[in-house]
Amino acid sequence: MIFTKDVPMAELVHHNYTVLSVLDRFDIKLGVGNKSIAEVCKEYGLNVSFFLEVINSFLNKDYFPEKQLKTFSIKLIINYLRSTHRLYVDEMVPQIEAKIKTLAATCSEELKDKLVLLQNFFENYRSELQEHISHEDLEIYPYTLKVEEYFLLGKASVEFLERIKANSIVAYSDQHNNLDEKLFDLKNIIIKYLPAPRNSKLCNSILHDLFELEADLKTHDNIENRVLVPKIKSMENELLNWG
Amino acid sequence: MEQFIFLIAHESYIVRRGLRSIILEHCPTSSIIEVGVHESVGSIIKSGNPDVILGQETFNVDIELCQNKYLINLGDKSSEDCINVFGEKSEILSVLQPILKELTPEKENSKDLSEREKDIVSNIALGLTNQEIAEKLFISSHTVITHRKNIVKKLGIKTVSGLTVYAIFNNLVDPNMVNS
């Protein structure tokens, strides 16, 4: 089901409660009454079309409206990407970490070593993810905002043009990290190779969180690779042409 | 695939044919000897040396001849060693299949790692590069890479750290020998 602006916000949540994490990113609070999506967006000063594209992509794995997403400003996209980062770093990852810690604390003696190993594996993943996110927040995103700023002005400074030539967005997007592989491996190890822990409900809950994190990261990566990078790339080219 | 020999001793042609077809369905490479006449059964067992004898009671198969063979009776009731010839296919199979399973040796489970593959995983866990593993095991690095691809396919684990966890979980490597 594709959602449109006149649908009540409540209906959206009823349809699939997992959108709550997306609403959170836009700082939308519950108690939405009968208001339509359009009305809520207006109240929060949000771009309705952008909100709808994000929601629909989130809910439908096959729906990724590259074209429409490219019509939005870099500022809008970056704001969204930044709040997704905060969600990962402040909530989703710590939650998984805490659950693994509890699992390790409450398991039987024979499993202790294995769960500590798993804890280390996740810690390793967490710090790599943190590094990746920090790099984006502190280097890449500010750069993209500057590109848009100059683009709207119609020209860029000489230093900035040099910067584009030396370190364009394409160079960044070519960097391969195996974060998604690590996450996949972790899931697989828990599903296939971890001997059954006493607290299997907790174990399932951890897996559930891992699957959610993975899906969310995928959408996030899609927005970066299929929307942000091509947009910036074309702006860079224009700036170089004008320069 | 192993060739097993079944001997079916029953007065009824239809029963013999029916059993033959069920056996061939499940063990296509087996040989089937049919005996319909009581007198011949002893000598046929001696000459044919079947692995499994399915015999109607009236044939009075000599137990002595059945050393190291499976003897299944053919009657009108099912049990662990008796097939009900009036039963449906599933009933007949419930007696036959356990025996067929015992006959067929355990095929190498292609879903589990081979010994060589386990060697490779433990060396990956120890932090060796493909080249180092190749030199250590006296194989080419191309072979190491092929093994790694198969390992990834079998286990579904791609990263070095993931394989290290797997190796420790399955006691393929001493945890103290692994860095971090």
Side-chain angles (χ1 to χ4, degrees):
Chain A
M1 184 180 169
I2 303 290
F3 285 89
T4 53
K5 65 181 175 64
D6 296 317
V7 172
M9 185 63 93
E11 201 175 306
L12 175 61
V13 180
H14 274 297
H15 171 79
N16 191 331
Y17 70 94
T18 58
V19 302
L20 286 173
S21 74
V22 183
L23 295 190
D24 207 31
R25 277 165 247 204
F26 288 101
D27 260 327
I28 296 173
K29 310 268 185 284
L30 282 184
V32 291
N34 278 325
K35 295 182 214 157
S36 69
I37 292 176
E39 285 166 336
V40 174
C41 286
K42 188 163 178 203
E43 194 182 315
Y44 284 85
L46 299 172
N47 183 317
V48 178
S49 317
F50 185 68
F51 178 82
L52 284 171
E53 298 302 350
V54 168
I55 288 286
N56 285 316
S57 309
F58 184 83
L59 290 175
N60 305 291
K61 299 310 159 198
D62 302 322
Y63 180 95
F64 193 76
E66 263 165 84
K67 270 213 181 115
Q68 285 98 294
L69 284 170
K70 280 191 193 160
T71 62
F72 301 112
S73 72
I74 298 290
K75 194 157 177 210
L76 195 59
I77 297 172
I78 296 293
N79 271 348
Y80 176 75
L81 291 176
R82 276 210 162 116
S83 63
T84 341
H85 278 175
R86 280 200 297 276
L87 183 73
Y88 300 149
V89 170
D90 296 340
E91 286 179 39
M92 288 174 93
V93 168
Q95 184 171 284
I96 296 172
E97 204 169 18
K99 286 183 184 175
I100 296 182
K101 195 171 175 193
T102 309
L103 194 67
T106 59
C107 73
S108 58
E109 269 312 304
E110 317 98 65
L111 277 190
K112 226 155 208 112
D113 287 336
K114 299 202 161 117
L115 281 170
V116 168
L117 195 56
L118 224 59
Q119 246 181 312
N120 291 339
F121 187 90
F122 187 73
E123 170 55 36
N124 180 266
Y125 171 78
R126 189 203 62 77
S127 75
E128 261 193 54
L129 182 66
Q130 178 71 70
E131 214 181 287
H132 175 82
I133 286 176
S134 299
H135 178 67
E136 286 180 346
D137 279 339
L138 299 172
E139 309 267 342
I140 308 296
Y141 292 172
Y143 170 73
T144 61
L145 289 171
K146 261 263 164 325
V147 170
E148 181 177 61
E149 210 184 289
Y150 281 124
F151 182 79
L152 293 173
L153 276 176
K155 67 177 197 140
S157 68
V158 178
E159 298 91 31
F160 196 75
L161 288 175
E162 288 307 306
R163 161 87 201 263
I164 296 178
K165 285 187 205 153
N167 234 332
S168 96
I169 195 82
V170 178
Y172 155 70
S173 73
D174 279 342
Q175 276 167 33
H176 173 70
N177 64 56
N178 70 349
L179 279 170
D180 51 344
E181 285 177 346
K182 281 211 166 89
L183 192 54
F184 182 83
D185 280 359
L186 179 57
K187 280 174 16 193
N188 229 353
I189 288 172
I190 296 178
I191 295 172
K192 287 164 97 166
Y193 304 117
L194 186 67
R198 238 185 244 144
N199 201 338
S200 67
K201 276 209 168 67
L202 183 57
C203 202
N204 289 348
S205 168
I206 292 171
L207 258 179
H208 182 266
D209 289 354
L210 288 172
F211 272 102
E212 265 194 32
L213 178 64
E214 194 187 35
D216 212 297
L217 281 168
K218 192 143 192 241
T219 318
H220 181 83
D221 281 347
N222 273 344
I223 295 178
E224 280 178 353
N225 296 327
R226 290 160 70 172
V227 179
L228 183 66
V229 170
K231 253 182 102 87
I232 294 294
K233 188 165 172 226
S234 72
M235 284 185 194
E236 281 174 346
N237 286 337
E238 286 298 299
L239 284 172
L240 286 174
N241 282 337
W242 299 334
Chain B
M1 213 170 157
E2 285 246 32
Q3 272 240 358
F4 294 117
I5 305 173
F6 292 80
L7 184 137
I8 306 175
H10 200 283
E11 289 160 358
S12 160
Y13 167 79
I14 291 175
V15 170
R16 294 198 304 267
R17 283 275 127 163
L19 284 170
R20 167 190 278 265
S21 112
I22 293 177
I23 292 168
L24 285 177
E25 214 182 284
H26 288 81
C27 254
T29 57
S30 28
S31 306
I32 316 248
I33 309 170
E34 286 179 40
V35 181
V37 174
H38 298 84
E39 286 76 24
S40 354
V41 78
S43 51
I44 292 180
I45 291 176
K46 278 192 211 139
S47 59
N49 199 18
D51 303 289
V52 184
I53 300 169
L54 297 104
Q56 196 178 7
E57 224 175 356
T58 51
F59 276 72
N60 275 323
V61 175
D62 194 345
I63 299 289
E64 297 274 21
L65 295 170
C66 300
Q67 303 283 355
N68 301 319
K69 299 177 195 313
Y70 285 92
L71 178 58
I72 306 175
N73 292 316
L74 298 173
D76 54 6
K77 281 198 184 63
S78 275
S79 76
E80 203 180 316
D81 59 1
C82 184
I83 288 178
N84 175 9
V85 300
F86 295 99
E88 288 295 337
K89 188 178 182 182
S90 50
E91 197 182 325
I92 295 172
L93 281 175
S94 69
V95 178
L96 258 184
Q97 258 169 348
I99 295 172
L100 293 177
K101 220 177 169 179
E102 272 192 59
L103 284 173
T104 0
E106 281 278 300
K107 270 196 292 195
E108 216 224 315
N109 194 339
S110 59
K111 289 186 274 192
D112 293 335
L113 295 183
S114 68
E115 284 309 314
R116 189 52 126 187
E117 286 164 348
K118 287 183 190 169
D119 284 338
I120 307 264
V121 171
S122 62
N123 280 301
I124 293 173
L126 291 170
L128 274 70
T129 63
N130 286 345
Q131 189 57 43
E132 287 167 344
I133 297 174
E135 282 165 21
K136 187 172 174 185
L137 300 178
F138 302 105
I139 52 180
S140 76
S141 55
H142 172 79
T143 310
V144 174
I145 292 170
T146 308
H147 278 307
R148 280 184 88 145
K149 282 201 193 132
N150 290 334
I151 290 167
V152 169
K153 247 200 283 188
K154 282 187 185 179
L155 298 181
I157 298 176
K158 299 175 191 162
T159 63
V160 170
S161 25
L163 286 171
T164 308
V165 172
Y166 175 87
I168 297 178
F169 271 26
N170 289 282
N171 300 314
L172 294 176
V173 75
D174 178 0
N176 301 317
M177 301 275 298
V178 177
N179 304 329
S180 84

